[in-house]
Amino acid sequence: MPEIRVTPLGAGQDVGRSCILVSIAGKNVMLDCGMHMGFNDDRRFPDFSYITQNGRLTDFLDCVIISHFHLDHCGALPYFSEMVGYDGPIYMTHPTQAICPILLEDYRKIAVDKKGEANFFTSQMIKDCMKKVVAVHLHQTVQVDDELEIKAYYAGHVLGAAMFQIKVGSESVVYTGDYNMTPDRHLGAAWIDKCRPNLLITESTYATTIRDSKRCRERDFLKKVHETVERGGKVLIPVFALGRAQELCILLETFWERMNLKVPIYFSTGLTEKANHYYKLFIPWTNQKIRKTFVQRNMFEFKHIKAFDRAFADNPGPMVVFATPGMLHAGQSLQIFRKWAGNEKNMVIMPGYCVQGTVGHKILSGQRKLEMEGRQVLEVKMQVEYMSFSAHADAKGIMQLVGQAEPESVLLVHGEAKKMEFLKQKIEQELRVSCYMPANGETVTLPTSLSIPVGISLGLLKREMAQGLLPEAKKPRLLHGTLIMKDSNFRLVSSEQALKELGLAEHQLRFTCRVHLHDTRKEQETALRVYSHLKSILKDHYVQHLPDGSVTVESILIQATAPSEDPGTKVLLVSWTYQDEELGSFLTSLLKKGLPQAPS
Amino acid sequence: MAAHLKKRVYEEFTKVVQQQQEEIATKKLRLTKPSKSAALHIDLCKATSPADALQYLLQFARKPVEAESVEGVVRILLEHYYKENDPSVRLKIASLLGLLSKTTGFSPDCIMDDAINILQNEKSHQVLAQLLDTLLAIGTKLPENQAIQMRLVDVACKHLTDTSHGVRNKCLQLLGNLGSLEKSVTKDAEGLATRDVQKIIGDYFSDQDPRVRTAAIKAMLQLHERGLKLHQTIYNQACKLLSDDYEQVRSAAVQLIWVVSQLYPESIVPIPSSNEEIRLVDDAFGKICHMVSDGSWVVRVQAAKLLGSMEQVSSHFLEQTLDKKLMSDLRRKRTAHERAKELYSSGEFSSGRKWGDDAPKEEVDTGAVNLIESGACGAFVHGLEDEMYEVRIAAVEALCMLAQSSPSFAEKCLDFLVDMFNDEIEEVRLQSIHTMRKISNNITLREDQLDTVLAVLEDSSRDIREALHELLCCTNVSTKEGIHLALVELLKNLTKYPTDRDSIWKCLKFLGSRHPTLVLPLVPELLSTHPFFDTAEPDMDDPAYIAVLVLIFNAAKTCPTMPALFSDHTFRHYAYLRDSLSHLVPALRLPGRKLVSSAVSPSIISQEDPSQQFLQQSLERVYSLQHLDPQGAQELLEFTIRDLQRLGELQSELAGVADFSATYLRCQLLLIKALQEKLWNVAAPLYLKQSDLASAAAKQIMEETYKMEFMYSGVENKQVVIIHHMRLQAKALQLIVTARTTRGLDPLFGMCEKFLQEVDFFQRYFITDLPHLQDSFVDKLLDLMPRLMTSKPAEVVKILQTMLRQSAFLHLPLPEQIHKASATIIEPAGESDNPLRFTSGLVVALDVDATLEHVQDPQNTVKVQVLYPDGQAQMIHPKPADFRNPGPGRHRLITQVYLSHTAWTEPCQVEVRLLLSYNSSARIPKCPWMEGGEVSPQVETSIEGTIPFSKPVKVYIMPKPARR
């Protein structure tokens, strides 16, 4: 019995360090290779020793697929390929390939330079790792080897995020990575065709949430910013460099354009500049509006947003500043925050979630007096706003995607166990699809039905199709042909061709049957009576009376003879070939019932 | 004498004219018929290879074929069809047969037998499909012939089992277009098998080829369109198709479901997996709502569009479409809209800024949550958030239509519409503003909603702002703070975009007159009056101050207590504004002032009838013209023209008619005057100078006739004939004058010939109207046509001269509705003393803003002309996108005109005006056979020109020499 086995090494009933092993028809594929934000020890990377204790991973894995550039999906990649050792192909989309090394380098810098960790991967390792990457286009079918093929679908979420279909023969698995079913200001919505995979592995971050329309949030955000700058206040928006930052930039940029505003917007530089450069290049991955207008103007060529300089923070008058990092725990955003916090005209907008212990978390929970290093106390008079812009599908979106793909079963990863439980129940109830939610290290085995493809010759297919009068696509239909098994493939051909190919002569198989009739008349007359009888019954068959006294119905021959011993009975000889078995047996049973009495 | 006799014959047997007409037709026919089919025949015989033959056929298809010769051509084509072995040539022939059978005036029943015949022997699937298409063309051409239709349906049924999808497609199309339900049963007697077309088509809903499935659904829709009632059983079949793999099938299925739901809205259908039942229209609504989140955007657009027209759906279902049932972490959460509403009603609007104020409250029962509902939950929420703007626009339109029919739904969808004001695509924003305007009768804006609406006033797009002003004109505001807010935002808008002045004033006018009671408490604040102190008098030229006054005065109209709050200068300003901006400031009942205008207005209405009568009488009086002596006729005409002009000024609704007839009379007057000239009596060479008057008259008549033809909307064919007739007279006059004044015959030859050609054209185009033109110039001219053709120019001139004098004055029938095209240039105003300075040789952009009334097809006809002081004129064609259509018959032109000139030493004025361009061939019906084929011969005679139709505006400009 063929089966698909799935083992999450990370992201099983958990968020972070996504890493899922899939074995499908003898092929092993690793989906994503991420790190965990919450840990600083060995637990931050997936446990690759699960795959093999000693020996190269290359022997056990056919390929690795990275869905997008977030570190919890690609952070462990250099460690995995260079330090543990993997030389096989790594597949990702072009934008991911471009942006991924920037983030990895940034991650390495923080870990090594700031925290002083030893035994971490080096810049060279990142470079070497990226050399093993094979970039794929959307909807491009890539043959990993003769049997294994993969195909990428658009997923929204961040630039270059993709869902992957993994297919071996007739079995297939779809892995969604992170995706977004509602479009935002710079990306479109995830889309997949009705590919009917055996298994759909989907994220379930918002398994228990149904979200409000995005428009209200956007409007609120814009209104708050607009009001503040009109009052002459300064707005600080702490962001992480990639993803949401671009969305907010576009949002503000278009608003500024529409409303003809002149207030300056700044973006603190750093890796953003490089990333923006890539955003400009990958226009086909963005949403409809940007794609349609980029010929006139590339939306990522910001007209109103300029690079930030440290000195600008003291400039008088209103301004909007995007600064990294997003949780106000260090760096430029914290510096600016300290300068502006004392003025109640100013405002800080937190666009995302803040980890406990950071300044961002403190001010969000309403703390107005902050203790800074050096025993200073910072009084926060500026307004603090929270605006959530997240790009994961909500429960409805997940259901919608499952509905679109029509899988045989669903497997949930990348979410909390409790929330998954709810979604699992809903999926089984409403979609009537089996659903799994394995924990890390737990293996799900999924039996699949084996289907064997059989080739059919076009001539035979057409001939058989022409016989059926009405189209009934879903109903099984009887078909005559010969199945040839040769060189481990199956072909269905017409019997004539099979004979020809096999070099066999055709044998005729004929059945003959005698039917005794009580009839005193002459043979000729009996034959005539049989003829007229059959003619009256079989209206849509070709019945003929031959000059030698025999009757034919299509190719069935009926002869009447008079046995010498009994003149009162006549013997009807019915003879038909194997192909006409149905008609032949019908005729004999008909004749056995006897002829109707002659009208005379 | 002969002419006289002939005329009598005409009078008695008017049909004779018709005979003449036939003669002309046959003459043409004889020329073309043999050449057409014979040439084709020869060509096809010559063709050695299929490619050659194909080339000949393609060439042949480029030229039109007259109805009379179609049959011959068809025969030849069929003959070749039988001989032809190459399928591509047969295909082309089949398609030509279809095209030919569409020719007007040709009855294709004679070729049907042949077509069916060749269909039976055809092997190629493509050719089969094309032949079926031809049969479809034949069948649609003969809708009354039942027998033929039955036969065609039979043929189609036979070929339904073909293996090629193309053939099955065409068969289904044929069934959809020709099949019938009831009639086939009654016509049983004819021996044709009774067929339930609907059943047959329905069977193909499950065909294996998606294209055939689509064709089957489309055929079903076609049956519906032809008025056959579809069975309700189709509903279930169609529902199954909603989950088809192919988008075109789903898209068509959505349409079919919609059709069935409109046919059987009240029948009851069971809900699967429960034993409840609901109305079919509700069920269908739910299903279509579900398709709003389909994978293909084509289907989503289709579904969103259709939702708008399902008005019978119960309100319970309708309101679900806006409700998404939010939750967070399994706890019920309120939407931002609900929170805003609550904040508003609790009176602490825009103060509750806390983190987590959107925190979810009560727990949700996990069992009760339904993630994919069969119902309509949140369909519009999804549609309005869609990735493709096409879907969003369709959703907004649907919202609009549903909200118009259901006030409670209108109230609910308001929040969503307001949200759409922030869409990233301008078209969507505009559409949602328009939608809001359309449903504004049903709604009252809350303050927070008004706030969001007003924020859009700062949009940099002029269209958006003006749409918003229109919206504010008809919005209901609930509080006085709302009015104040609106005023403040509008004034802000005014300072930011001063060009919006007129639109803002108009908006405030309506805002004031709709909410008098809300404006009242604001008056002291707005006028900044103080109970004890005199405040400074505001500047009367300040547009913002005028805006405030417009609001207040319009409110004061229905609020008699308000004027008591005005200070002295307000009254003075009122008097000034009432005169200068009378369209914005109404007449007020102020203390110590008489109301003059309001007393007059009712009497105008009662006078309407007499003025119409007066118009009729004065026109009738003119038609007795013939019996007067020339002097008297002239005087009568002059009087009447003066009367008509005055009437047009007084009565705006009759202005079009009055102007139109006055212009016609003026033409006649000119003609009479010209014929009265003395020069006719004297030998030709002596009076060169005086002939100026006659030729000028001829020229002017020509101009006036062009104006009559192209400047008025609603001119019918009857009038066009008369106008053309007048023009012909003017041309004759021109010819005579030229003959008199020029020596030598050579130029005259050409002119005569041209004139005769024009008479010929006139006769051809207006052949049906000729009987109405008895006794007229043309009538007489046509009698003498054979003689004229052979005469020398001098003789022709002589004949024309006498005929012009004798010809009768034609009665101009008045059209039902006629409006004169007019234009007013709003911008540039032409008052500025400051010249527009620019470096010579470079360009300067001048903003032009004009309103056009009663202009048909302004995109093609309206031009801007710039006249420089040195007489240089420049014509500019505005872009089609510069025209907006704010209302029926009204257009607005907002464009930029680029000026450039070499250096001047002093600032000078250039003139800007609008022109209406015309093309005289535009009114003449064209040959319908081949669109985009060869240029028709009429174009050669067409005359293009322009008519100025706006007052010129002077712009002061100053090109400076470039500094080096």
Side-chain angles (χ1 to χ4, degrees), chain B residues 718-775:
Chain B
K718 286 185 280 185
Q719 285 90 32
V720 176
V721 181
I722 310 256
I723 294 167
H724 274 258
H725 181 248
M726 180 53 86
R727 195 176 301 156
L728 202 64
Q729 281 176 308
K731 278 175 184 160
L733 183 66
Q734 224 166 13
L735 181 66
I736 301 165
V737 174
T738 336
R740 283 240 145 194
T741 51
T742 49
R743 292 191 194 105
L745 283 174
D746 293 345
L748 220 53
F749 258 124
M751 279 189 73
C752 270
E753 207 156 298
K754 213 172 151 208
F755 179 73
L756 290 178
Q757 257 180 19
E758 253 152 45
V759 176
D760 191 42
F761 276 128
F762 183 87
Q763 187 197 18
R764 242 189 278 160
Y765 296 142
F766 302 110
I767 202 147
T768 48
D769 297 289
L770 278 184
H772 305 297
L773 301 180
Q774 274 182 36
D775 247 2

Side-chain angles (χ1 to χ4, degrees), chain A residues 182-185 188-189 191 194 196 208-216 219 223-224 226-227 230 257-261 287-289 291-292 364-365 383 385-386 394-396 399-400 404 419 422-423 425-426 430-431 462 465 469-471 473, chain B residues 161 203-204 206-208 243-245 293 295 324-330 335-337 353 355 366-367 369-373 377 382 384-390 392 419-425 429 451-452 455-456 458-460 492 496-497:
Chain A
T182 46
D184 62 29
R185 287 284 167 152
W191 179 85
K194 231 172 237 192
R196 302 200 171 93
T208 53
T209 302
I210 299 177
R211 266 183 311 183
D212 197 0
S213 146
K214 209 160 188 130
R215 290 178 189 284
C216 300
R219 198 190 60 207
K223 204 169 134 194
K224 279 169 188 168
H226 190 193
E227 276 171 3
E230 266 200 340
E257 188 101 358
R258 259 181 67 199
M259 295 304 183
N260 238 336
L261 296 177
N287 71 5
Q288 187 193 22
K289 155 96 176 167
R291 268 183 286 136
K292 286 221 161 134
L364 274 183
S365 48
Q383 296 169 51
E385 298 284 354
Y386 176 76
D394 62 0
K396 256 193 150 175
M399 297 297 263
Q400 203 182 328
Q404 268 181 25
K419 298 181 178 176
F422 165 76
L423 191 66
Q425 178 201 342
K426 286 288 141 193
E430 286 174 32
L431 294 170
K462 278 193 174 167
M465 252 172 48
L469 290 176
L470 287 177
Chain B
T161 48
D203 285 342
Y204 281 80
S206 53
D207 193 275
Q208 55 172 344
S243 51
D244 199 278
D245 283 8
S293 48
K324 215 176 150 187
K325 297 225 169 39
L326 303 191
M327 63 175 190
S328 170
D329 243 356
L330 282 182
T335 64
H337 293 148
R353 285 211 192 92
W355 181 49
T366 47
V369 181
N370 202 6
L371 287 181
I372 337 186
E373 337 45 29
C377 251
H382 285 292
L384 293 176
E385 256 193 307
D386 198 273
E387 180 182 3
M388 312 298 281
Y389 82 91
E390 291 90 344
R392 298 201 295 268
D419 278 349
M420 294 307 283
F421 285 17
N422 278 321
D423 195 90
E424 52 189 339
I425 301 228
R429 297 202 291 270
D451 202 36
T452 325
V456 186
E458 283 188 56
D459 202 294
S460 59
K492 222 196 255 177
K496 204 163 174 181
Y497 306 100

